[in-house]
Amino acid sequence: MPLATTSQHSSYQNKVASSRATSEPVWIRWSLIGIVLLFLSLFLLVPLAAVFTEALRKGFDTYITALTDPDALSSIKLTLIAAAIAVPLNLVFGVAAAWAIAKFEFRGKSILITLIDLPFAVSPVIAGLIYVLIFGMQGWVGSTLIDHDLKVIFAIPGIVLATVFVTFPFVARELIPLMQAQGKDEEEAGLVLGASGWQILWRITLPNVKWGLLYGVILTNARAMGEFGAVSVVSGHIRGMTNTMPLHVEILYNEYNYAAAFAVASLLALLALVTLALKTFVEWQVARNASSHEKSFN
Amino acid sequence: MSIEIRNIRKNFGSFSALNDVSLDVPSGELVALLGPSGCGKTTLLRIIAGLETPDSGSIHFYGEDATARQVREREVGFVFQHYALFRHMTVFENVAFGLRVRPKETRPSDAEIKRRVHELLELVQLDWLADRYPPQLSGGQRQRIALARALAVEPKVLLLDEPFGALDAKVRKELRRWLRRLHDELHITSIFVTHDQEEALEVADRVVVINKGQIEQVGSPQEVYDHPVSPFVYQFLGNVNQFQSHIHEGEAKIGDVGLKLDAHHDTQNSSALAFVRPHEIEIYKERHGDSAAFEADVHYINAIGPLVRLELKIANKVELIEAELTQARFRELGLTQGEHVFIYPRNVRVFLDGQHTGGYIQQI
């Protein structure tokens, strides 16, 4: 999944005034656009088309059979479970962290910001290994857990933990700059008007960042469903039990079952397309809000 | 409601924002906290609101200690410099906010909220904007909505932080007259912060001049303008010419000109600051009587408006002296640029170094 990027609101500011004085000659513009298009088609469009052609090469029936295979269904289910747990958790965490960082001054704030970024800095494989070291059979608490009949590694909890870890920064990273830019005047106004902390959060802070929040959730979800490295380490690749969709694709591919591998991969690709469409929609909404805000009189 | 501020201190790190500030605000008054930026006036206002906590000292509302009271329980209305309107709510919802967040027992019915909000919007003359969003309003409109929102919760005290600071000059002037009228109508105890002396002198019942975290002077606009108690207040309120001078037995020497004072008769050889307001300077083309005069050249003339502003240059001095004449007097004199004139200060006020009271002379 080509979605492991942090958005920097680049497209929020895409309204560049076009004037002849600041623009380049025609040939430069077209060659730049041409290079970008060539690059995009080579590295994004061709592979995307390949995924769908390969998936449908042996006909639509084989495609459906590959997707309704019990192991495939179980991997889809597990992926959905992992995302369904990781997304809400990181939503709550992200809002709390962004709120604390943007609206309050406290000791260790920069350390907290660094910690939030940690999952971006650490290789996902290392992230998976950390959990193996802690919860694995030879790990710090692994044997205690097993004594109590709790399995984390090579089981669903491990996969969820790894997914939560790698998707940790998305919501917080999205909200912090937004909340910092908005300042805390409105919150203070709410406070003076008699609102409680909860009321301020629900009626003032969250509505003000709703599009940024949705954007963060979309990115979190995309990454949660597409994560391979960290999940691969903790999963144990037990078919029908601990395989997520990306892991299932790998197994099928290694077994030379190309049609089935590409069929499952096409689902992930579809998810990516849906995510992109949603992301574009949210950005369009944000831009529309911003431009309606510019219609002020002064 | 009366507000008493007792020995408030507040430090931000090593910076002392407020240093032992005490102040009484009588019920129903409109008081201006006036001072340069960074003098601590906004910090004081935020401490009264409860948005900041003082390091020591106390705040009393109506005789009751309110220092430990939460912001929400202080029943203050606060108007922010940049309005702080809720941008995702309509004007109506902004004004209704304070009523809607009340606990169920004290929350008015929807119909009642609607009635109250429209009443307030009529008070600020913006009822027709009820369905707009804040970004669609002009600065002056936003500030009036912010005021309506603050008044919706029926505060006992109204606090305004540089309420007109972000507006252009014309709107600012309109709005501050409007605020004065509104205050005369509502009689709610109000404190507003400003760095604009004209605004403070025009709007307030009383002016509190603050400098470097301390109160310099409290008084009616007339008092602080006519009888400044310190060099700072003198300089901060209105234009003023400042001279280094030397006081000896009732005479102030500025350069080699000696001016007779009606005070400081026993003072021996001390240095002092002398102040003369531009409109308290008489100008003649010839020597006039026996009084001491400065000789100067007319450096620049600005004759736009009801007053003519002159810049005068005393020989061998770098600083220019500012003087203001009426158009009639200016025509009578028929001054031109570069002309040699005699300057007679009509009213000089001197402050001995390290002292706050000054004597002055009246000549001519």
Side-chain angles (χ1 to χ4, degrees):
Chain A
M1 300 262 308
L3 284 160
T5 54
T6 52
S7 87
Q8 293 297 325
H9 297 271
S10 52
S11 49
Y12 289 16
Q13 301 145 359
N14 56 4
K15 275 173 279 160
V16 181
S18 57
S19 91
R20 205 166 288 175
T22 55
S23 64
E24 298 294 335
V26 178
W27 69 269
I28 293 190
R29 268 188 280 160
W30 283 110
S31 27
L32 284 175
I33 293 171
I35 291 170
V36 171
L37 283 180
L38 186 74
F39 205 79
L40 275 179
S41 19
L42 260 177
F43 289 93
L44 289 176
L45 296 181
V46 171
L48 194 63
V51 167
F52 285 100
T53 7
E54 285 298 323
L56 294 167
R57 183 178 292 268
K58 291 192 180 159
F60 197 68
D61 288 345
T62 329
Y63 182 73
I64 295 297
T65 320
L67 289 184
T68 49
D69 171 71
D71 288 351
L73 282 179
S74 131
S75 78
I76 292 171
K77 196 175 137 202
L78 183 56
T79 298
L80 290 178
I81 289 173
I85 296 172
V87 171
L89 269 183
N90 281 330
L91 172 71
V92 172
F93 163 77
V95 169
W99 161 277
I101 286 167
K103 311 280 179 182
F104 300 97
E105 290 303 322
F106 53 90
R107 268 166 196 277
K109 190 161 154 174
S110 53
I111 296 177
L112 180 59
I113 296 174
T114 315
L115 278 179
I116 290 172
D117 277 344
L118 191 68
F120 281 162
V122 171
S123 154
V125 177
I126 307 295
L129 270 176
I130 294 168
Y131 287 109
V132 174
L133 283 177
I134 297 173
F135 297 110
M137 202 92 90
Q138 273 78 41
W140 297 349
V141 293
S143 49
T144 328
L145 285 176
I146 289 164
D147 289 348
H148 291 85
D149 214 16
L150 286 169
K151 219 164 173 273
V152 176
I153 299 305
F154 306 145
I156 295 175
I159 290 167
V160 171
L161 275 177
T163 311
V164 169
F165 181 85
V166 287
T167 55
F168 195 57
F170 286 99
V171 173
R173 267 284 139 203
E174 198 59 45
L175 291 187
I176 289 168
L178 197 60
M179 284 188 174
Q180 275 174 338
Q182 289 179 350
K184 49 185 184 188
D185 269 13
E186 288 185 41
E187 277 81 3
E188 283 185 345
L191 196 63
V192 177
L193 288 169
S196 64
W198 267 127
Q199 286 172 321
I200 290 174
L201 180 67
W202 285 109
R203 289 168 182 255
I204 300 171
T205 309
L206 286 183
N208 268 338
V209 297
K210 61 179 175 211
W211 291 115
L213 188 62
L214 186 56
Y215 194 82
V217 166
I218 291 171
L219 288 180
T220 306
N221 184 55
R223 181 65 194 266
M225 293 192 173
E227 176 54 28
F228 180 84
V231 170
S232 171
V233 175
V234 295
S235 124
H237 304 271
I238 309 166
R239 278 196 164 205
M241 299 267 302
T242 62
N243 264 349
T244 61
M245 282 162 77
L247 300 182
H248 192 61
V249 172
E250 193 209 15
I251 288 180
L252 291 174
Y253 188 82
N254 287 346
E255 290 170 349
Y256 305 105
N257 193 349
Y258 295 137
F262 278 107
V264 180
S266 75
L267 270 190
L268 283 171
L270 267 180
L271 172 74
L273 291 177
V274 170
T275 306
L276 279 179
L278 275 176
K279 182 171 160 285
T280 315
F281 173 75
V282 169
E283 280 171 358
W284 175 69
Q285 280 291 337
V286 170
R288 212 180 55 150
N289 277 9
S291 71
S292 81
H293 281 200
E294 277 160 20
K295 277 185 211 143
S296 54
F297 297 166
N298 53 343
Chain B
M1 176 164 77
S2 71
I3 307 168
E4 292 161 50
I5 297 155
R6 292 275 159 269
N7 309 99
I8 292 285
R9 281 173 198 278
K10 175 79 182 174
N11 295 317
F12 293 109
S14 60
F15 174 72
S16 165
L18 291 171
N19 190 3
D20 200 12
V21 169
S22 296
L23 178 69
D24 282 345
V25 179
S27 191
E29 268 200 1
L30 177 55
V31 171
L33 301 181
L34 174 66
S37 53
C39 74
K41 54 193 191 302
T42 295
T43 308
L44 182 58
L45 196 76
R46 288 172 61 86
I47 286 176
I48 298 172
L51 291 169
E52 304 272 359
T53 34
D55 295 341
S56 67
S58 58
I59 304 277
H60 301 261
F61 285 175
Y62 221 30
E64 272 175 56
D65 191 341
T67 320
R69 238 181 254 174
Q70 291 289 314
V71 187
R72 324 165 36 198
E73 292 153 15
R74 292 202 186 194
E75 300 181 88
V76 297
F78 201 101
V79 176
F80 293 81
Q81 181 178 3
H82 299 290
Y83 328 118
L85 292 176
F86 307 129
R87 69 199 96 177
H88 61 283
M89 294 184 204
T90 60
V91 163
F92 180 94
E93 285 304 323
N94 262 282
V95 179
F97 184 88
L99 301 171
R100 289 211 200 279
V101 295
R102 283 195 183 163
K104 259 215 167 80
E105 313 87 68
T106 54
R107 192 188 309 151
S109 67
D110 273 0
E112 174 66 10
I113 289 178
K114 199 169 170 190
R115 193 188 62 75
R116 295 254 297 268
V117 171
H118 281 294
E119 205 176 276
L120 282 159
L121 288 176
E122 270 162 35
L123 182 73
V124 299
Q125 299 153 5
L126 291 176
D127 203 21
W128 52 287
L129 290 177
D131 296 327
R132 299 271 186 91
Y133 284 86
Q136 299 166 321
L137 309 181
S138 71
Q141 289 169 340
R142 282 185 223 182
Q143 196 56 292
R144 282 193 276 167
I145 296 299
L147 193 61
R149 183 179 68 176
L151 290 171
V153 292
E154 294 176 332
K156 302 240 166 69
V157 183
L158 188 61
L159 306 170
L160 306 105
D161 183 11
E162 300 258 3
F164 316 124
L167 303 170
D168 60 60
K170 191 165 177 292
V171 179
R172 190 153 68 201
K173 223 162 190 162
E174 274 168 29
L175 218 52
R176 69 188 188 215
R177 297 217 173 106
W178 175 82
L179 175 70
R180 180 68 240 183
R181 283 202 305 277
L182 192 75
H183 182 263
D184 291 343
E185 235 169 87
L186 301 174
H187 280 297
I188 174 172
T189 311
S190 310
I191 303 178
F192 78 101
V193 157
T194 180
H195 61 264
D196 181 347
Q197 40 108 359
E198 203 185 313
E199 193 170 295
L201 296 178
E202 185 182 317
V203 177
D205 294 318
R206 285 206 303 156
V207 177
V208 178
V209 186
I210 302 180
N211 183 33
K212 291 183 183 155
Q214 281 178 313
I215 292 180
E216 292 269 336
Q217 189 172 5
V218 182
S220 70
Q222 195 78 51
E223 272 166 24
V224 292
Y225 188 80
D226 290 344
H227 305 288
V229 296
S230 69
F232 172 81
V233 180
Y234 216 110
Q235 279 173 314
F236 198 71
L237 295 177
N239 289 337
V240 72
N241 296 299
Q242 180 186 325
F243 306 91
Q244 282 297 333
S245 73
H246 192 82
I247 311 290
H248 185 66
E249 296 182 349
E251 193 183 57
K253 268 246 195 268
I254 299 171
D256 32 349
V257 179
L259 302 170
K260 290 264 175 297
L261 302 175
D262 64 357
H264 299 302
H265 294 296
D266 305 327
T267 307
Q268 304 283 329
N269 281 325
S270 3
S271 52
L273 279 177
F275 294 100
V276 183
R277 296 237 189 251
H279 62 91
E280 293 176 332
I281 286 176
E282 297 277 347
I283 292 176
Y284 291 96
K285 284 187 157 180
E286 311 288 339
R287 269 199 191 281
H288 190 86
D290 304 330
S291 327
F294 298 98
E295 288 185 46
D297 294 324
V298 178
H299 185 77
Y300 175 73
I301 301 173
N302 179 359
I304 297 163
L307 290 174
V308 180
R309 263 188 61 240
L310 300 177
E311 283 177 11
L312 305 154
K313 191 175 184 320
I314 298 177
N316 305 328
K317 286 223 173 197
V318 185
E319 311 95 74
L320 297 168
I321 297 180
E322 246 184 68
E324 282 169 9
L325 301 180
T326 60
Q327 288 281 2
R329 176 73 184 140
F330 177 69
R331 276 196 299 275
E332 192 184 318
L333 282 169
L335 291 177
T336 53
Q337 206 156 323
E339 203 160 347
H340 193 70
V341 293
F342 295 89
I343 303 174
Y344 292 87
R346 201 168 27 169
N347 193 349
V348 180
R349 200 169 168 94
V350 301
F351 293 94
L352 294 183
D353 284 1
Q355 277 189 20
H356 266 200
T357 47
Y360 56 93
I361 53 162
Q362 264 164 332
Q363 294 187 325
I364 306 172

